[in-house]
Amino acid sequence: MALTDSQMEDVSDADAGGASASVSGSGSGAGSGSGSGGPPIGVIKSGREYLLEGTIRRKLAKLETDLSRDEAARLQGVQLIDEVRNVLQLPIITYIAACGYYHRFRLEIDPKGYQWHEAALACLFVACKSEDTLKKSRDILCANHNIKNPDRITAPDDKLFDQGSKMLIGLERQVIETLRFDFQVRNPFKILAKIVKAVLGSDEDGSNFFVEAFKVGTDMYKTFAPLKHTTFTCAFTVARLTSVMTGLYTEAFVNLDPTEYYTSEEWVAEVMLDVLDLYTDHSRSTLFGPGINPQAFIDAKIKVNQRMEAAQIPRYQSLCGECEREGFPSPAFTHSGTSPASPAGTNSTTKHGSKGLDRTYRFLFDAEEVRRERAAYEEYTKDEWEEWEEEVEEPIPERETRRRADLGPEPRAPPREPRGPRGPRGHGRGRGRGHVSRGGHDTGWHPRNRHDHRGRGRGGGFY
């Protein structure tokens, strides 16, 4: 039994203190048993090979980031990865892996906790290790520094990169946990080469066409299309889009049957529109866009939309219709004086670390195994409760009265005697010790009565 999309959704804030385990995002689960059920299994997470359009939108809405800044950070981060890769002469597979890691990292981690260029370099550092093209963190930082400062070329052993090296190593742990130790990379360029060779052969025409298609495939990783679709769909779309935009062998590639390459027209149209959106909005930030007239991208996009409307094909194939009708949560837009093209970032002194250090994280590669382990664990930790209602009659005590009704109301207390003119001490006129003042209040003995001989035996009170 395969997990449904709702069960596979990512809930990064899963409660690990509950009484049972639960499957959360991307096949991840969180659970904690009671004292009698044994030790808690912690938070279980498993990688997810593909992300649907609805999942990507929910993740972006959950982060509450400015969409324009997020798009600018995504494009500039991939551009930085490509530039550093070219300086270090890394293969295209490392570039593919770094871009995939970068997109997934930005969908999981709040952008307020890091800067986009730090995340891009950290993802390239992880990709170098996963694809066995080892480069030190200082080499990556040095290449980035030399690109930005061509007049001050430095070596990797410079002390300038000490702090940056520690930063990359700290971010590396976050990147790995975001990927859930799933470093699988899909390379569409191998399939693209086979498609071009099958249609055009191995002559010079095929080589020239592949060079242009290679640029389109490289630009495709600035979108989320590689995260949503298979390798065959991406390769087939790149070949068809290249033929449409360059006008080379258009009929040969347009008439290809996508089912022969394990894809469909719906998926191909969705990827093509994603890439065309990139070219129409940010053609200058691409490799293929500057050499093509911008109006050509708009015309191609209109034709694809007309073809989809005629065939009644939705824009996104895996988008929930109910969610699309109700709308996704609107991300917050930052109203500041900075340019929307400049991605916002916080101070790089932010402490980078794993969230939820008080919980145990376990990473599994098979989502089905997560479900089986969860079911087995719940047999011993699931609390079962029975509810029932019971009516109990409680006697209401009668109100006790202090006096019988036939005796009438209780008499009032006698009024108090009036006080003297100057308070309870009776500082009125008196006759010394032991005498009563005019107000009827006995003043009693007072130290002044003992020593005051002027008023003793005569009138005049104390004085």
Side-chain angles (χ1 to χ4, degrees), residues 333-363:
F333 287 86
T334 306
H335 299 282
S336 60
T338 57
S339 173
S342 301
T346 56
N347 194 345
S348 60
T349 58
T350 304
K351 295 182 179 180
H352 304 290
S354 175
K355 57 183 178 180
L357 294 177
D358 56 335
R359 298 182 290 180
T360 302
Y361 282 85
R362 299 174 58 237
F363 299 90

Side-chain angles (χ1 to χ4, degrees), residues 324-400:
E324 190 176 7
R325 288 190 300 269
E326 296 178 356
F328 294 90
S330 300
F333 287 86
T334 306
H335 299 282
S336 60
T338 57
S339 173
S342 301
T346 56
N347 194 345
S348 60
T349 58
T350 304
K351 295 182 179 180
H352 304 290
S354 175
K355 57 183 178 180
L357 294 177
D358 56 335
R359 298 182 290 180
T360 302
Y361 282 85
R362 299 174 58 237
F363 299 90
L364 300 179
F365 296 108
D366 187 7
E368 191 67 21
E369 178 64 25
V370 176
R371 187 188 65 83
R372 289 193 296 266
E373 184 171 336
R374 168 181 172 259
Y377 185 79
E378 283 186 345
E379 294 180 0
Y380 300 95
T381 59
K382 186 176 181 180
D383 295 332
E384 296 181 357
W385 299 86
E386 294 183 1
E387 297 182 1
W388 67 88
E389 296 181 0
E390 182 179 358
E391 295 183 359
V392 179
E393 296 184 359
E394 297 183 359
I396 301 176
E398 297 182 358
R399 188 173 182 179
E400 297 181 358

Side-chain angles (χ1 to χ4, degrees), residues 39-301:
I41 60 175
V43 181
I44 304 177
K45 293 187 176 183
S46 63
R48 188 174 182 183
E49 190 173 2
Y50 299 100
L51 297 179
L52 304 181
E53 179 67 24
T55 304
I56 295 176
R57 292 191 181 189
R58 276 187 287 269
K59 289 178 180 293
L60 291 175
K62 184 179 179 181
L63 295 177
E64 296 183 352
T65 57
D66 188 348
L67 292 180
S68 60
R69 296 184 183 276
D70 181 78
E71 186 177 11
R74 172 163 50 87
L75 297 176
Q76 295 184 17
V78 175
Q79 183 68 26
L80 178 61
I81 292 174
D82 191 25
E83 293 175 354
V84 175
R85 174 189 73 90
N86 293 329
V87 173
L88 298 177
Q89 298 181 356
L90 298 174
I92 189 63
I93 188 64
T94 304
Y95 166 80
I96 294 173
C99 292
Y101 300 164
Y102 180 67
H103 293 323
R104 291 178 180 271
F105 181 80
R106 286 188 56 80
L107 290 176
E108 296 288 345
I109 306 299
D110 188 359
K112 298 178 182 179
Y114 62 91
Q115 292 196 7
W116 62 269
H117 64 273
E118 296 177 354
L121 297 178
C123 292
L124 181 60
F125 181 51
V126 176
C128 290
K129 292 184 177 181
S130 63
E131 299 303 321
D132 201 16
T133 54
L134 299 179
K135 292 292 181 181
K136 297 181 180 179
S137 59
R138 289 177 172 271
D139 296 335
I140 297 176
L141 293 172
C142 180
N144 180 40
H145 178 271
N146 294 337
I147 292 173
K148 295 181 178 179
N149 306 279
D151 54 337
R152 292 184 299 169
I153 303 299
T154 59
D157 57 352
D158 197 324
K159 294 183 179 180
L160 178 65
F161 308 118
D162 290 345
Q163 188 67 24
S165 178
K166 297 179 181 179
M167 178 271 300
L168 281 187
I169 296 175
L171 268 179
E172 178 189 11
R173 177 179 178 181
Q174 270 191 307
V175 173
I176 294 175
E177 291 184 356
T178 301
L179 300 175
R180 288 125 190 233
F181 291 86
D182 187 3
F183 304 104
Q184 300 181 56
V185 178
R186 302 185 299 273
N187 185 5
F189 292 101
K190 293 183 177 180
I191 301 176
L192 176 62
K194 294 180 180 180
I195 295 175
V196 174
K197 185 177 180 180
V199 176
L200 302 179
S202 303
D203 54 0
E204 185 177 356
D205 295 339
S207 299
N208 296 334
F209 183 87
F210 183 79
V211 171
E212 299 299 326
F214 189 87
K215 296 179 182 179
V216 177
T218 304
D219 294 335
M220 181 182 59
Y221 279 88
K222 295 182 180 179
T223 67
F224 291 121
L227 301 182
K228 300 185 295 182
H229 300 281
T230 62
T231 309
F232 284 93
T233 302
C234 294
F236 189 89
T237 305
V238 168
R240 176 175 290 186
L241 182 59
T242 304
S243 65
V244 171
M245 299 312 304
T246 58
L248 301 175
Y249 315 104
T250 305
E251 295 182 0
F253 286 97
V254 171
N255 295 329
L256 285 178
D257 186 9
T259 57
E260 297 180 359
Y261 297 92
Y262 310 101
T263 183
S264 63
E265 289 288 349
E266 293 82 1
W267 300 114
V268 172
E270 181 178 342
V271 178
M272 188 175 294
L273 287 178
D274 288 345
V275 180
L276 287 175
D277 288 340
L278 172 67
Y279 285 135
T280 54
D281 298 336
H282 308 280
S283 60
R284 296 183 179 180
S285 301
T286 61
L287 297 177
F288 184 75
I292 304 297
N293 186 6
Q295 187 62 33
F297 295 115
I298 299 177
D299 296 339
K301 187 176 179 181

Side-chain angles (χ1 to χ4, degrees), residues 448-458 462:
R448 189 179 293 276
N449 298 348
R450 178 181 178 185
H451 301 288
D452 188 5
H453 300 283
R454 292 177 297 174
R456 189 172 293 183
R458 299 188 300 269
F462 289 104

